[in-house]
Amino acid sequence: MAEALDEIDVRLLAELQADADRTNVELARLVGLSPAATLNRVRRLKASGVIRRVVARVDPAAAGFPLQVYVAVTLAGAAPRTSRAFEDEVRALPQVIAADWVAGETDAILTIVARDVADLKRVLSRLSLQGGQRLITYLRLEEIKPPSPLPVADPATATD
Amino acid sequence: MAEALDEIDVRLLAELQADADRTNVELARLVGLSPAATLNRVRRLKASGVIRRVVARVDPAAAGFPLQVYVAVTLAGAAPRTSRAFEDEVRALPQVIAADWVAGETDAILTIVARDVADLKRVLSRLSLQGGQRLITYLRLEEIKPPSPLPVADPATATD
DNA sequence: GATGAAATAGCATTTGC
DNA sequence: GCAAATGCTATTTCATC
């Protein structure tokens, strides 16, 4: 599907994951290409889906969501109808800001934000009603490491 | 610490979380302000820390990390020295792309990417050596809901 | 105290090489 | 991929509400 990423693509990805709030000219200097070539590469990375999107990361507490939790969910059965209903609920709840099916001790891991305890309670309740048989809630206390770039350029993880 | 966010700030945050890859002029049209006023507000949001940063979100698999896992960690004891050593290891491991202390069934939740099983094994091993007494690993199978904006403008979560 | 309009400098983007 | 050229945009300034 996708072309292999060369050295310069990897540098671009590293830079843009760290800080996408820079001009194309600056990016070009960082990777040692002309602005035109840089622009073409970045466009290709976006079009190919390697760069999924460029977004502002907002501080949840500062934006009015002091409660952030991870929730590990065990579904009530494996019937497609059950998981489908659960998926729909997850996508419909705006407080659920990320969710994945997983393999392990539970079926899904959700990331949820809430304005207060009542707000959180409402969300958990709705998840229960849509097949969430067991919800293990982890309240986020403190950040150890902020969301960080994929180590695309890290020698310790290099494959070649 | 921070000023209250008014209606327009909220709109800006919603737009920039959804897609920060737009010109200031376009953003200005979306919120109904002049480019100059829009620029001032966005700058303020960044300077105040409400917008933590603007980043490119990269597809992990496309970037060479087909394995993504959540790991719930129980520490070996609550001694400050233990948690400090663990924090240092987490920050030093590039494959750990996010980590938080939590309250609940475990002490911390980590998000980890790996190029292959050997790579993952190495990371888990190092976490064990730095106080990770019990590691519950959840292998990410499929995305239910992609990382999504905080529902800053959602009426269902409104406080006023 | 923040906004809008005008002006300048710089950038994004295109084209030809 | 580069260099030059064009049209927009970011950013500042300043008057204004």
Side-chain angles (χ1 to χ4, degrees):
Chain A
M1 54 167 206
E3 302 299 304
L5 301 173
D6 67 13
E7 172 74 20
I8 294 183
D9 287 328
V10 163
R11 300 240 297 276
L12 285 172
L13 288 179
E15 294 295 342
L16 289 173
Q17 286 185 96
D19 181 5
D21 204 4
R22 286 181 288 199
T23 65
N24 183 59
V25 169
E26 193 171 349
L27 207 55
R29 270 196 297 99
L30 285 169
V31 302
L33 284 188
S34 70
T38 304
L39 196 65
N40 278 332
R41 278 173 178 266
V42 172
R43 259 206 288 245
R44 206 180 316 138
L45 289 169
K46 286 173 182 167
S48 69
V50 177
I51 293 178
R52 290 179 60 166
R53 54 201 328 172
V54 176
V55 299
R57 286 218 334 260
V58 171
D59 181 81
F65 298 91
L67 297 182
Q68 303 125 38
V69 303
Y70 294 103
V71 178
V73 181
T74 302
L75 268 202
R81 191 192 300 166
T82 304
S83 60
R84 178 57 197 274
F86 183 77
E87 286 182 352
D88 289 345
E89 186 67 56
V90 159
R91 296 199 185 103
L93 285 168
Q95 295 96 338
V96 179
I97 59 168
D100 296 288
W101 292 119
V102 297
E105 290 202 355
T106 64
D107 297 315
I109 302 279
L110 278 50
T111 306
I112 297 177
V113 297
R115 294 198 183 273
D116 51 43
V117 173
D119 189 17
L120 177 60
K121 176 165 176 276
R122 209 164 355 187
V123 173
L124 295 176
S125 173
R126 295 192 61 162
L127 293 171
S128 290
L129 289 172
Q130 295 302 327
Q133 185 166 64
R134 177 149 187 255
L135 307 180
I136 311 175
T137 302
Y138 303 87
L139 177 65
R140 188 171 178 273
L141 294 178
E142 187 191 353
E143 190 171 84
I144 301 175
K145 185 175 193 169
S148 307
L150 300 171
V152 286
D154 200 286
T157 73
T159 48
D160 49 310
Chain B
M1 54 168 208
E3 301 299 304
L5 302 173
D6 67 13
E7 173 73 20
I8 294 182
D9 288 327
V10 163
R11 299 241 297 277
L12 285 172
L13 287 180
E15 295 295 341
L16 289 173
Q17 286 184 96
D19 181 6
D21 202 4
R22 286 180 288 198
T23 65
N24 183 59
V25 169
E26 194 171 348
L27 207 55
R29 271 195 297 99
L30 286 169
V31 302
L33 284 188
S34 71
T38 305
L39 197 64
N40 278 333
R41 279 173 176 266
V42 173
R43 258 204 291 244
R44 205 180 317 141
L45 289 169
K46 286 172 182 167
S48 70
V50 177
I51 293 178
R52 291 179 60 166
R53 54 201 330 172
V54 176
V55 299
R57 288 218 334 261
V58 170
D59 182 84
F65 299 91
L67 297 182
Q68 303 124 39
V69 302
Y70 294 103
V71 178
V73 181
T74 302
L75 269 201
R81 189 192 300 165
T82 305
S83 60
R84 178 56 196 272
F86 183 77
E87 286 182 351
D88 289 346
E89 185 68 56
V90 159
R91 297 201 185 99
L93 284 169
Q95 293 97 337
V96 179
I97 59 167
D100 296 287
W101 292 118
V102 296
E105 291 203 355
T106 64
D107 297 315
I109 302 279
L110 278 51
T111 306
I112 297 177
V113 297
R115 295 198 183 275
D116 52 42
V117 173
D119 189 17
L120 178 60
K121 176 165 177 279
R122 209 164 3 202
V123 173
L124 295 176
S125 174
R126 297 192 60 163
L127 293 171
S128 290
L129 290 173
Q130 295 302 326
Q133 185 167 65
R134 178 150 185 254
L135 306 180
I136 311 174
T137 301
Y138 303 87
L139 176 66
R140 188 172 179 272
L141 294 177
E142 187 191 351
E143 189 171 83
I144 301 175
K145 186 175 192 170
S148 307
L150 300 171
V152 285
D154 200 284
T157 72
T159 48
D160 51 309

